[in-house]
Amino acid sequence: MRYSILSPLISSEHFNWNLTGQSGSARVETRQSHPLRKGGIAYAQRYNVNKDLFATAAKRDYGLFIEQHLEGLACPPSLLDAWIVASRQYRNAGSRIHHALDGSISTSFSVREEYRISWPLFVSVHPLTSHTHGSHRPFWVLPTAHVNEFMRWEFNRWISAIDFVRVRASSRELGWEDHERNMIMITVLLRSLKASVNCHHIARRSQLFKDTYTNRKGKSLKGLDFESSMRLSGLAWLPIDLFNWSDFHLQDELKIYLNQLKSKHLIYLNICQIETI
């Protein structure tokens, strides 16, 4: 974690569990001048081990729904190669979720705490020393079956919307404007799903978290404002005013946001337009 001279004496990050506002994992790092750092505690984190539920033995396993090709799910049928790659990756990710949730119902997941401390503090702490929390625990205890059912519901609310747009995009009667709307919507849904499944630190993703923000070039942009819905309901929801819900696409007048959300696969649309001239 990075901090400047003007930053607080402690740097912290909260990783939201499945786009919820109050559940997740956290880590903190103390600066040299912090009293805890002087006492020997440099870093601490706490998380539930079910965060690895969808992990695989692959050396480079960065999470689910991260492949860039996935944003080509709504490619028009004429772009067969791009569509095949995206569809295969999408099905594989969905299969991982299904098998992981079904296969872990009887599993108990513990909460893990990790610390980085100085050597003097380490040798001074008795290894058998334990501290009980009494009747109060600093975390919730829920049945795995209940947790998995919530996760299944949470993922399905994005996946069902993605599947709807995929089916709609398969029509050969759509114009280029319709294909662009579908690809923008797929990008919004996939990035939301990816943040949920992989328990991202949402506050660091202004595109999802903020109502408005400024990018590195100083340009003011519109975000999905997950921050507001997470504060109000405890869960991230798409904002009502940004979308045409009857036709299920981003409002056409939000050009600044539309340009920001264009995925790399929209380049394919431009290529096809050139070829049809």
Side-chain angles (χ1 to χ4, degrees):
M1 290 179 281
R2 298 179 180 179
Y3 45 75
S4 66
I5 298 177
L6 301 177
S7 64
L9 296 181
I10 189 168
S11 179
S12 63
E13 290 180 306
H14 172 222
F15 299 88
N16 304 82
W17 179 68
N18 303 141
L19 293 183
T20 56
Q22 300 181 20
S23 302
S25 58
R27 62 184 183 184
V28 297
E29 182 178 355
T30 57
R31 294 179 59 185
Q32 293 289 347
S33 54
H34 195 282
L36 289 176
R37 184 68 170 258
K38 292 180 179 180
I41 300 178
Y43 175 93
Q45 66 176 355
R46 175 180 289 174
Y47 57 91
N48 192 293
V49 295
N50 82 332
K51 75 182 187 69
D52 296 324
L53 188 60
F54 306 116
T56 68
K59 185 176 182 180
R60 294 186 177 183
D61 182 15
Y62 299 118
L64 290 166
F65 302 103
I66 62 169
E67 297 87 351
Q68 291 183 348
H69 290 91
L70 280 174
E71 293 184 5
L73 277 173
C75 282
S78 57
L79 302 176
L80 185 59
D81 291 342
W83 183 87
I84 289 176
V85 172
S87 296
R88 182 172 62 247
Q89 293 174 339
Y90 180 71
R91 288 196 302 271
N92 290 342
S95 179
R96 280 176 61 183
I97 288 178
H98 174 74
H99 290 298
L101 292 178
D102 284 351
S104 61
I105 294 178
S106 60
T107 304
S108 295
F109 296 95
S110 62
V111 172
R112 180 177 295 171
E113 295 184 29
E114 298 177 4
Y115 296 90
R116 297 175 190 169
I117 62 177
S118 64
W119 180 252
L121 177 59
F122 175 76
V123 296
S124 65
V125 175
H126 195 284
L128 299 180
T129 301
S130 62
H131 299 278
T132 60
H133 297 286
S135 59
H136 174 72
R137 294 175 175 174
F139 49 82
W140 292 308
V141 180
L142 301 171
T144 299
H146 293 181
V147 172
N148 284 9
E149 282 303 308
F150 170 80
M151 294 171 70
R152 194 187 303 275
W153 172 87
E154 159 62 17
F155 303 152
N156 279 340
R157 71 181 177 125
W158 303 107
I159 292 173
S160 59
I162 292 171
D163 288 341
F164 171 80
V165 178
R166 286 180 64 202
V167 173
R168 184 175 66 184
S170 65
S171 173
R172 296 184 178 275
E173 299 178 357
L174 299 180
W176 292 114
E177 184 176 331
D178 296 319
H179 284 305
E180 186 177 53
R181 287 172 176 169
N182 286 331
M183 294 194 70
I184 293 295
M185 201 66 202
I186 282 289
T187 300
V188 170
L189 296 170
L190 273 172
R191 293 182 185 180
S192 301
L193 173 61
K194 178 171 63 175
S196 177
V197 171
N198 299 298
C199 300
H200 285 170
H201 180 25
I202 303 299
R204 294 186 62 182
R205 288 165 169 76
S206 299
Q207 192 180 81
L208 301 178
F209 191 67
K210 296 294 185 180
D211 178 27
T212 58
Y213 66 99
T214 303
N215 65 7
R216 294 179 181 179
K217 296 181 179 180
K219 186 176 181 179
S220 180
L221 297 173
K222 185 76 173 173
L224 291 179
D225 195 22
F226 281 175
E227 179 180 20
S228 294
S229 58
M230 291 170 76
R231 289 184 184 277
L232 289 173
S233 67
L235 187 65
W237 298 91
L238 294 177
I240 296 176
D241 58 327
L242 289 187
F243 299 88
N244 179 332
W245 292 103
S246 59
D247 295 325
F248 200 54
H249 63 74
L250 194 71
Q251 296 284 7
D252 290 332
E253 59 268 23
L254 297 175
K255 298 297 183 182
I256 185 171
Y257 189 57
L258 184 147
N259 290 333
Q260 166 211 358
L261 274 177
K262 282 185 177 179
S263 69
K264 294 182 178 179
H265 288 278
L266 287 179
I267 297 174
Y268 289 127
L269 295 180
N270 296 330
I271 293 174
C272 286
Q273 285 176 313
I274 294 173
E275 291 178 346
T276 55
I277 295 176

mmCIF file of all heavy atoms in Angstrom, residues 36-43 115-127:
data_model
loop_
_atom_site.group_PDB
_atom_site.id
_atom_site.type_symbol
_atom_site.label_atom_id
_atom_site.label_comp_id
_atom_site.label_asym_id
_atom_site.label_seq_id
_atom_site.Cartn_x
_atom_site.Cartn_y
_atom_site.Cartn_z
ATOM 1 N N LEU A 36 1.830 1.820 17.021
ATOM 2 C CA LEU A 36 1.831 0.365 16.863
ATOM 3 C C LEU A 36 3.071 -0.104 16.120
ATOM 4 O O LEU A 36 3.626 -1.174 16.419
ATOM 5 C CB LEU A 36 0.570 -0.085 16.119
ATOM 6 C CG LEU A 36 -0.753 0.017 16.885
ATOM 7 C CD1 LEU A 36 -1.917 -0.375 15.981
ATOM 8 C CD2 LEU A 36 -0.727 -0.855 18.130
ATOM 9 N N ARG A 37 3.521 0.681 15.140
ATOM 10 C CA ARG A 37 4.731 0.317 14.390
ATOM 11 C C ARG A 37 5.943 0.377 15.310
ATOM 12 O O ARG A 37 6.829 -0.491 15.261
ATOM 13 C CB ARG A 37 4.892 1.266 13.198
ATOM 14 C CG ARG A 37 6.069 0.930 12.276
ATOM 15 C CD ARG A 37 5.817 -0.385 11.534
ATOM 16 N NE ARG A 37 6.806 -0.592 10.494
ATOM 17 C CZ ARG A 37 6.587 -0.374 9.198
ATOM 18 N NH1 ARG A 37 5.397 0.058 8.792
ATOM 19 N NH2 ARG A 37 7.527 -0.583 8.319
ATOM 20 N N LYS A 38 5.979 1.388 16.145
ATOM 21 C CA LYS A 38 7.083 1.493 17.108
ATOM 22 C C LYS A 38 7.062 0.323 18.088
ATOM 23 O O LYS A 38 8.113 -0.111 18.575
ATOM 24 C CB LYS A 38 6.989 2.818 17.860
ATOM 25 C CG LYS A 38 7.248 4.042 16.984
ATOM 26 C CD LYS A 38 7.147 5.323 17.786
ATOM 27 C CE LYS A 38 7.425 6.544 16.906
ATOM 28 N NZ LYS A 38 7.327 7.812 17.678
ATOM 29 N N GLY A 39 5.846 -0.164 18.362
ATOM 30 C CA GLY A 39 5.736 -1.311 19.253
ATOM 31 C C GLY A 39 6.016 -2.634 18.571
ATOM 32 O O GLY A 39 6.101 -3.667 19.235
ATOM 33 N N GLY A 40 6.119 -2.624 17.239
ATOM 34 C CA GLY A 40 6.503 -3.836 16.527
ATOM 35 C C GLY A 40 5.488 -4.368 15.544
ATOM 36 O O GLY A 40 5.751 -5.342 14.836
ATOM 37 N N ILE A 41 4.284 -3.756 15.451
ATOM 38 C CA ILE A 41 3.265 -4.241 14.529
ATOM 39 C C ILE A 41 3.285 -3.382 13.259
ATOM 40 O O ILE A 41 2.946 -2.201 13.292
ATOM 41 C CB ILE A 41 1.867 -4.197 15.166
ATOM 42 C CG1 ILE A 41 1.831 -5.066 16.429
ATOM 43 C CG2 ILE A 41 0.808 -4.670 14.166
ATOM 44 C CD1 ILE A 41 0.508 -5.040 17.155
ATOM 45 N N ALA A 42 3.677 -4.003 12.146
ATOM 46 C CA ALA A 42 3.802 -3.267 10.887
ATOM 47 C C ALA A 42 2.605 -3.475 9.970
ATOM 48 O O ALA A 42 2.255 -2.570 9.197
ATOM 49 C CB ALA A 42 5.081 -3.695 10.161
ATOM 50 N N TYR A 43 1.981 -4.634 10.049
ATOM 51 C CA TYR A 43 0.935 -4.963 9.076
ATOM 52 C C TYR A 43 -0.004 -5.999 9.680
ATOM 53 O O TYR A 43 0.425 -6.853 10.462
ATOM 54 C CB TYR A 43 1.596 -5.532 7.809
ATOM 55 C CG TYR A 43 0.660 -6.027 6.736
ATOM 56 C CD1 TYR A 43 0.251 -5.195 5.702
ATOM 57 C CD2 TYR A 43 0.188 -7.344 6.738
ATOM 58 C CE1 TYR A 43 -0.598 -5.656 4.697
ATOM 59 C CE2 TYR A 43 -0.661 -7.807 5.737
ATOM 60 C CZ TYR A 43 -1.046 -6.948 4.726
ATOM 61 O OH TYR A 43 -1.878 -7.407 3.735
ATOM 62 N N TYR A 115 -0.302 -11.252 10.725
ATOM 63 C CA TYR A 115 0.416 -10.065 11.182
ATOM 64 C C TYR A 115 1.867 -10.109 10.719
ATOM 65 O O TYR A 115 2.445 -11.183 10.558
ATOM 66 C CB TYR A 115 0.390 -9.964 12.717
ATOM 67 C CG TYR A 115 -0.986 -9.772 13.305
ATOM 68 C CD1 TYR A 115 -1.772 -10.872 13.651
ATOM 69 C CD2 TYR A 115 -1.498 -8.496 13.520
ATOM 70 C CE1 TYR A 115 -3.038 -10.701 14.189
ATOM 71 C CE2 TYR A 115 -2.766 -8.322 14.057
ATOM 72 C CZ TYR A 115 -3.530 -9.424 14.400
ATOM 73 O OH TYR A 115 -4.782 -9.261 14.926
ATOM 74 N N ARG A 116 2.409 -8.941 10.518
ATOM 75 C CA ARG A 116 3.843 -8.799 10.300
ATOM 76 C C ARG A 116 4.373 -7.949 11.444
ATOM 77 O O ARG A 116 3.985 -6.787 11.603
ATOM 78 C CB ARG A 116 4.136 -8.112 8.964
ATOM 79 C CG ARG A 116 3.662 -8.904 7.749
ATOM 80 C CD ARG A 116 3.876 -8.117 6.478
ATOM 81 N NE ARG A 116 3.203 -8.764 5.349
ATOM 82 C CZ ARG A 116 3.041 -8.202 4.143
ATOM 83 N NH1 ARG A 116 3.509 -6.970 3.934
ATOM 84 N NH2 ARG A 116 2.416 -8.851 3.175
ATOM 85 N N ILE A 117 5.240 -8.547 12.229
ATOM 86 C CA ILE A 117 5.735 -7.859 13.416
ATOM 87 C C ILE A 117 7.256 -7.886 13.437
ATOM 88 O O ILE A 117 7.898 -8.628 12.695
ATOM 89 C CB ILE A 117 5.180 -8.519 14.704
ATOM 90 C CG1 ILE A 117 5.660 -9.978 14.814
ATOM 91 C CG2 ILE A 117 3.651 -8.462 14.725
ATOM 92 C CD1 ILE A 117 5.208 -10.673 16.102
ATOM 93 N N SER A 118 7.820 -7.062 14.293
ATOM 94 C CA SER A 118 9.275 -6.986 14.406
ATOM 95 C C SER A 118 9.810 -8.204 15.159
ATOM 96 O O SER A 118 9.075 -8.862 15.909
ATOM 97 C CB SER A 118 9.680 -5.701 15.135
ATOM 98 O OG SER A 118 9.200 -5.737 16.477
ATOM 99 N N TRP A 119 11.064 -8.498 14.950
ATOM 100 C CA TRP A 119 11.675 -9.638 15.630
ATOM 101 C C TRP A 119 11.691 -9.472 17.156
ATOM 102 O O TRP A 119 11.362 -10.423 17.877
ATOM 103 C CB TRP A 119 13.084 -9.870 15.100
ATOM 104 C CG TRP A 119 13.771 -11.032 15.772
ATOM 105 C CD1 TRP A 119 14.787 -10.996 16.668
ATOM 106 C CD2 TRP A 119 13.451 -12.418 15.608
ATOM 107 N NE1 TRP A 119 15.135 -12.249 17.076
ATOM 108 C CE2 TRP A 119 14.331 -13.154 16.444
ATOM 109 C CE3 TRP A 119 12.512 -13.108 14.840
ATOM 110 C CZ2 TRP A 119 14.291 -14.537 16.509
ATOM 111 C CZ3 TRP A 119 12.475 -14.481 14.919
ATOM 112 C CH2 TRP A 119 13.361 -15.182 15.750
ATOM 113 N N PRO A 120 12.028 -8.292 17.677
ATOM 114 C CA PRO A 120 11.981 -8.126 19.141
ATOM 115 C C PRO A 120 10.601 -8.416 19.721
ATOM 116 O O PRO A 120 10.484 -9.023 20.776
ATOM 117 C CB PRO A 120 12.378 -6.658 19.342
ATOM 118 C CG PRO A 120 13.237 -6.347 18.157
ATOM 119 C CD PRO A 120 12.604 -7.097 17.025
ATOM 120 N N LEU A 121 9.536 -7.973 19.030
ATOM 121 C CA LEU A 121 8.189 -8.254 19.523
ATOM 122 C C LEU A 121 7.894 -9.743 19.434
ATOM 123 O O LEU A 121 7.281 -10.321 20.341
ATOM 124 C CB LEU A 121 7.161 -7.464 18.704
ATOM 125 C CG LEU A 121 5.690 -7.708 19.070
ATOM 126 C CD1 LEU A 121 5.422 -7.357 20.528
ATOM 127 C CD2 LEU A 121 4.763 -6.911 18.143
ATOM 128 N N PHE A 122 8.339 -10.391 18.364
ATOM 129 C CA PHE A 122 8.092 -11.823 18.186
ATOM 130 C C PHE A 122 8.704 -12.650 19.310
ATOM 131 O O PHE A 122 8.057 -13.536 19.872
ATOM 132 C CB PHE A 122 8.653 -12.280 16.838
ATOM 133 C CG PHE A 122 8.548 -13.757 16.606
ATOM 134 C CD1 PHE A 122 7.338 -14.342 16.272
ATOM 135 C CD2 PHE A 122 9.670 -14.572 16.738
ATOM 136 C CE1 PHE A 122 7.243 -15.708 16.064
ATOM 137 C CE2 PHE A 122 9.586 -15.933 16.536
ATOM 138 C CZ PHE A 122 8.370 -16.502 16.203
ATOM 139 N N VAL A 123 9.943 -12.364 19.657
ATOM 140 C CA VAL A 123 10.622 -13.163 20.683
ATOM 141 C C VAL A 123 10.102 -12.845 22.084
ATOM 142 O O VAL A 123 10.299 -13.630 23.016
ATOM 143 C CB VAL A 123 12.149 -12.944 20.629
ATOM 144 C CG1 VAL A 123 12.715 -13.430 19.309
ATOM 145 C CG2 VAL A 123 12.506 -11.486 20.847
ATOM 146 N N SER A 124 9.421 -11.698 22.222
ATOM 147 C CA SER A 124 8.911 -11.346 23.544
ATOM 148 C C SER A 124 7.508 -11.880 23.800
ATOM 149 O O SER A 124 7.044 -11.902 24.937
ATOM 150 C CB SER A 124 8.906 -9.825 23.720
ATOM 151 O OG SER A 124 8.001 -9.221 22.826
ATOM 152 N N VAL A 125 6.824 -12.312 22.729
ATOM 153 C CA VAL A 125 5.460 -12.834 22.878
ATOM 154 C C VAL A 125 5.505 -14.330 23.151
ATOM 155 O O VAL A 125 6.153 -15.090 22.436
ATOM 156 C CB VAL A 125 4.633 -12.564 21.604
ATOM 157 C CG1 VAL A 125 3.263 -13.222 21.711
ATOM 158 C CG2 VAL A 125 4.474 -11.057 21.397
ATOM 159 N N HIS A 126 4.811 -14.770 24.173
ATOM 160 C CA HIS A 126 4.773 -16.184 24.494
ATOM 161 C C HIS A 126 3.878 -16.892 23.480
ATOM 162 O O HIS A 126 2.722 -16.511 23.283
ATOM 163 C CB HIS A 126 4.234 -16.399 25.908
ATOM 164 C CG HIS A 126 4.504 -17.771 26.439
ATOM 165 N ND1 HIS A 126 3.792 -18.875 26.029
ATOM 166 C CD2 HIS A 126 5.427 -18.212 27.336
ATOM 167 C CE1 HIS A 126 4.248 -19.943 26.650
ATOM 168 N NE2 HIS A 126 5.235 -19.565 27.464
ATOM 169 N N PRO A 127 4.366 -17.933 22.793
ATOM 170 C CA PRO A 127 3.582 -18.588 21.731
ATOM 171 C C PRO A 127 2.288 -19.230 22.203
ATOM 172 O O PRO A 127 1.376 -19.445 21.407
ATOM 173 C CB PRO A 127 4.551 -19.646 21.189
ATOM 174 C CG PRO A 127 5.513 -19.888 22.298
ATOM 175 C CD PRO A 127 5.679 -18.557 22.991
#
